Amino acid sequence: MHDPAEAALSALTRPGMGTENAGPLLRALTRMARPRTVVEVGAGSSTLHLLLGLRDARAEAAADRRVVGGSVTNDERASVLHPRSASEDYAPKLLVVDDISVAGTSAHQVSDAARALGLDDMLTFVERDFFEMTDQELDAWGPLDLVWLDAGTQADDAGFLTSLWPRVTPGGTVVLHEPYLATTVETSHGRVACRVVPTPLLQELRRQGAASADGFDVLALSEPHKHRQTGLLMLRKHAGWERDRCTPFAEELKALGEIPSDEVPRLSPTPVPAGSGTPGDAGQILAALSDVAQRTVFSSVVLLADTAQGIAARLGTSPAACTAALAGLHAVGLVTHENGLWSAADRIWRQLQPSSTAQA
Ligand SMILES: C[S@@+](CC[C@H](N)C(=O)[O-])C[C@H]1O[C@@H](n2cnc3c(N)ncnc32)[C@H](O)[C@@H]1O
């Protein structure tokens, strides 16, 4: 059966642009996040995927409103809906900026395709160089819920991010194309080989994400079968309600009525060897304090018992980084946590045992 949307997508698709997986993923993300204001820099088949996602999201939002409003009975659906969010009006818009500067782009066709499919009421196409847009013009878009950047170089991406990130709403997402690049590297055997590696922008944003006080997630997805136009980088700004509660994992499980687990999933190597030794082991204490973040946090706790937020504020670090350091110190018995306050443990120094390594 002829599907006009599929036909339009295939007319807009340029295999060299490499958005054959990014497009459907953006469409699904749009349905999932129900963004009100979406911005795309760099148009093509991805524009239509975004519009189709918004069309689906709009239809699903209308159906949900009928369920929470009571005009349709669907108890199972009602049981998962947030009554306030699901009853709000939803009129999304997609703002696309493209200066039609790249040979072979299908950007000039997207407005006609949207009109033919009856999706043009959601689309504003701005045929301009993004970097010529003024702050006032960008401000007029209002808070941005989803931004898709697929234009120009890494330096351009850096420029788009500098302009748009402050305008992204808390909880909002920025998706960038191609966080990997093919380049020549020197192998450990001294040979020169071609490899796909993270871009400098991905490396920089990962570093910032790890140290960020305000908090944002960084996720890079690869397409390992491609060496160009490969992968996606997703940045999601944390909303206020997502702040780190700075309470140890086991305590939170207990508060939720779950059986407290001694097993804290440690996904990154910590200086404390998991499962070996007991609190009070000199080798473990040394290992814990050899980590500069843990040593800094420990010094702060020795000076003043405090909440994780208080310690983080005094050290000028993020609460999440502070909590991770406190968890490492707690695991070896260097700090205790009572009534929300972290204190330096005294007893540990009295019961200090020489570690097996020290004895050897
Ligand atoms: C890689 S293509 C976009 C591909 C598209 N997302 C797709 O799914 O096919 C890049 C587009 O960005 C546009 N572009 C490049 N630099 C730009 C800039 N500074 N401002 C606006 N558009 C730009 C080009 O005209 C081109 O259409």
Side-chain angles (χ1 to χ4, degrees):
M1 208 178 68
H2 177 73
D3 178 350
E6 281 307 316
L9 274 175
S10 88
L12 291 177
T13 297
R14 302 286 182 271
M17 300 295 183
T19 50
E20 70 282 5
N21 298 310
L25 200 143
L26 286 166
R27 182 172 173 175
L29 189 62
T30 305
R31 288 178 65 178
M32 187 170 183
R34 290 195 188 167
R36 290 176 185 280
T37 303
V38 182
V39 166
E40 175 185 65
V41 186
S45 61
S46 57
T47 313
L48 201 46
H49 280 291
L50 286 166
L51 283 172
L52 291 167
L54 292 177
R55 177 198 66 181
D56 296 345
R58 197 165 54 174
E60 286 156 11
D64 285 342
R65 267 198 307 279
R66 288 192 286 275
V67 171
V68 290
S71 61
V72 166
T73 304
N74 184 340
D75 293 343
E76 201 169 336
R77 181 66 182 161
S79 74
V80 298
L81 290 174
H82 187 300
R84 186 172 46 77
S85 300
S87 56
E88 284 168 2
D89 282 344
Y90 179 63
K93 58 182 188 214
L94 171 64
L95 305 145
V96 178
V97 184
D98 197 306
D99 59 359
I100 326 269
S101 60
V102 167
T105 180
S106 56
H108 56 291
Q109 295 169 255
V110 300
S111 297
D112 285 346
R115 204 170 305 116
L117 294 169
L119 303 174
D120 53 320
D121 62 318
M122 293 185 286
L123 175 66
T124 302
F125 191 96
V126 183
E127 191 178 327
R128 295 264 297 279
D129 179 339
F130 177 87
F131 294 110
E132 286 174 0
M133 298 195 67
T134 63
D135 277 345
Q136 287 83 346
E137 285 173 307
L138 299 180
D139 287 344
W141 291 347
L144 312 180
D145 302 303
L146 177 64
V147 175
W148 160 237
L149 301 174
D150 188 18
T153 62
Q154 272 190 81
D156 290 333
D157 279 343
F160 300 145
L161 275 178
T162 303
S163 295
L164 295 178
W165 184 254
R167 297 178 158 87
V168 172
T169 191
T173 302
V174 176
V175 186
L176 296 100
H177 200 194
E178 240 193 321
Y180 302 100
L181 64 89
T183 186
T184 49
V185 296
E186 192 173 311
T187 68
S188 49
H189 306 296
R191 284 188 299 115
V192 174
C194 187
R195 293 277 186 276
V196 174
V197 300
T199 58
L201 185 62
L202 171 56
Q203 300 250 296
E204 170 62 25
L205 294 172
R206 278 181 170 157
R207 282 191 291 265
Q208 290 187 23
S212 153
D214 301 329
F216 62 93
D217 295 328
V218 179
L219 173 65
L221 300 173
S222 76
E223 290 168 293
H225 51 285
K226 286 161 66 177
H227 75 272
R228 274 192 62 241
Q229 304 281 20
T230 176
L232 285 183
L233 170 58
M234 304 173 89
L235 309 170
R236 204 181 60 82
K237 198 184 257 194
H238 292 176
W241 55 267
E242 293 177 271
R243 76 186 187 288
D244 194 330
R245 289 180 294 273
C246 300
T247 309
F249 174 60
E251 280 190 32
E252 294 219 300
L253 286 193
K254 218 184 320 172
L256 288 169
E258 287 197 34
I259 298 163
S261 163
D262 290 337
E263 195 69 38
V264 178
R266 297 219 177 277
L267 306 188
S268 67
T270 66
V272 182
S276 66
T278 51
D281 179 288
Q284 283 205 358
I285 288 174
L286 200 57
L289 293 178
S290 70
D291 177 74
V292 68
Q294 293 188 170
R295 198 163 62 241
T296 309
V297 169
F298 182 65
S299 310
S300 171
V301 175
V302 168
L303 290 173
L304 182 69
D306 204 344
T307 60
Q309 286 96 336
I311 299 164
R314 277 190 287 129
L315 295 176
T317 181
S318 74
C322 187
T323 304
L326 286 164
L329 296 167
H330 193 241
V332 296
L334 277 167
V335 295
T336 59
H337 186 248
E338 268 171 49
N339 304 322
L341 287 185
W342 292 95
S343 321
D346 261 346
R347 215 158 40 129
I348 183 108
W349 299 107
R350 292 196 289 274
Q351 66 187 44
L352 198 62
Q353 313 155 0
S355 70
S356 48
T357 16
Q359 283 168 335

